[in-house]
Amino acid sequence: MKGTYLGEFEELVLLTVGILFDDAYGLAIADELEKQTDRSVMISSVHKALVRLEEKGYLKSHMGGATETRGGRDKRLYTLTQAGVKVLNQSRELRNAMYKQVPKLVWEGSK
């Protein structure tokens, strides 16, 4: 397994793979990311992140069947591995713990 560091974009890609569950492939992931984040997402960035995440052992992929909507081309479908689920849970726990440490005054002051 490659390094375990998880960047923000990688975390969002992992979460999107989880959301799409059994239909997570490059273009669907990019479209869902744009929908969820209201950001413009480059398909090449998604593909690079998918490769990195698979090298880190957080995702696994297989070729799906060809469909007419893709002009007869196969899709590479991605699923979360146990390591992927674990790193997402660790990331969520870290963020939640850090949010809890921010003094209430900071949150109230931002209103």
Side-chain angles (χ1 to χ4, degrees), residues 1-4 6 13-19 21 24 50-62 77-90:
M1 181 186 308
K2 205 172 175 178
T4 57
L6 190 63
V13 170
L14 280 180
L15 287 168
T16 305
V17 169
I19 290 168
F21 190 58
L50 290 168
V51 168
R52 282 194 312 270
L53 291 164
E54 196 166 19
E55 287 174 355
K56 290 179 179 181
Y58 298 147
L59 292 176
K60 61 182 176 185
S61 68
H62 68 278
L77 297 166
Y78 292 88
T79 55
L80 291 170
T81 63
Q82 285 300 312
V85 171
K86 183 178 177 183
V87 78
L88 280 174
N89 280 325
Q90 289 172 337

Side-chain angles (χ1 to χ4, degrees), residues 23-82:
D23 197 31
Y25 61 97
L27 186 57
I29 294 167
D31 288 346
E32 185 66 23
L33 267 172
E34 285 189 350
K35 180 179 147 192
Q36 294 282 341
T37 65
D38 202 25
R39 294 185 195 171
S40 178
V41 176
M42 303 268 301
I43 187 70
S44 59
S45 299
V46 171
H47 281 293
K48 288 176 187 174
L50 290 168
V51 168
R52 282 194 312 270
L53 291 164
E54 196 166 19
E55 287 174 355
K56 290 179 179 181
Y58 298 147
L59 292 176
K60 61 182 176 185
S61 68
H62 68 278
M63 296 306 291
T67 62
E68 288 182 28
T69 57
R70 293 181 39 86
R73 295 181 315 194
D74 290 340
K75 298 180 205 173
R76 179 168 291 281
L77 297 166
Y78 292 88
T79 55
L80 291 170
T81 63
Q82 285 300 312

